[in-house]
Amino acid sequence: MNSSSSGSLSSVPNGRIIDFETAELRKLPFQDSLYLWVKGTLPGAGFEARLAPRIYQNRPDYWGIEVAVVQAHAPDQSGDTELLHIFERSIPLTGITGNREITVIGANQVKRIDIAGES
């Protein structure tokens, strides 16, 4: 991919983009806000996943939201390398939607999600 796959162009400048398994829109009961929910696997222990909207001067047609990872703490040295580190994160889309869609950006895939009629 391009250079954005190794580093974040968003609000997480020290993060790196990782892949995700699923990304979908959800509305919570009794709330007007639309949320992006993303699920995937962390690269290992000691990492924290974040959904990081890209920063734009003007509202784009397709607002990019990166699935990024940052080192949260030193990895556990217990030798438990078989453990899967699943993450599920959400972010409210208020103020970070493009004119047409949002684009979820992972290391190995990009998923466009139409927001027309959802907000």
Side-chain angles (χ1 to χ4, degrees):
M1 227 175 166
N2 61 26
S3 63
S4 68
S5 65
S6 61
S8 175
L9 299 175
S10 68
S11 56
V12 184
N14 295 325
R16 83 180 150 93
I17 298 173
I18 61 171
D19 209 18
F20 60 94
E21 294 165 18
T22 61
E24 62 186 27
L25 300 181
R26 293 185 189 171
K27 281 192 177 181
L28 298 180
F30 308 108
Q31 291 190 8
D32 290 334
S33 296
L34 189 62
Y35 284 78
L36 170 66
W37 288 76
V38 177
K39 183 178 180 181
T41 304
L42 293 171
F47 290 96
E48 179 181 318
R50 297 189 182 164
L51 299 180
R54 287 194 168 172
I55 300 166
Y56 297 97
Q57 293 285 336
N58 299 309
R59 186 177 181 187
D61 283 340
Y62 308 97
W63 200 300
I65 300 173
E66 299 174 356
V67 181
V69 69
V70 295
Q71 185 127 17
H73 54 80
D76 183 11
Q77 299 299 323
S78 66
D80 189 8
T81 57
E82 297 292 320
L83 184 65
L84 288 177
H85 303 280
I86 305 293
F87 71 86
E88 188 169 350
R89 296 288 182 268
S90 65
I91 186 172
L93 294 178
T94 305
I96 57 168
T97 57
N99 293 321
R100 296 174 153 182
E101 301 177 335
I102 59 169
T103 303
V104 183
I105 302 164
N108 296 322
Q109 69 175 315
V110 173
K111 181 176 182 179
R112 286 189 172 168
I113 301 175
D114 186 9
I115 57 169
E118 294 286 344
S119 47

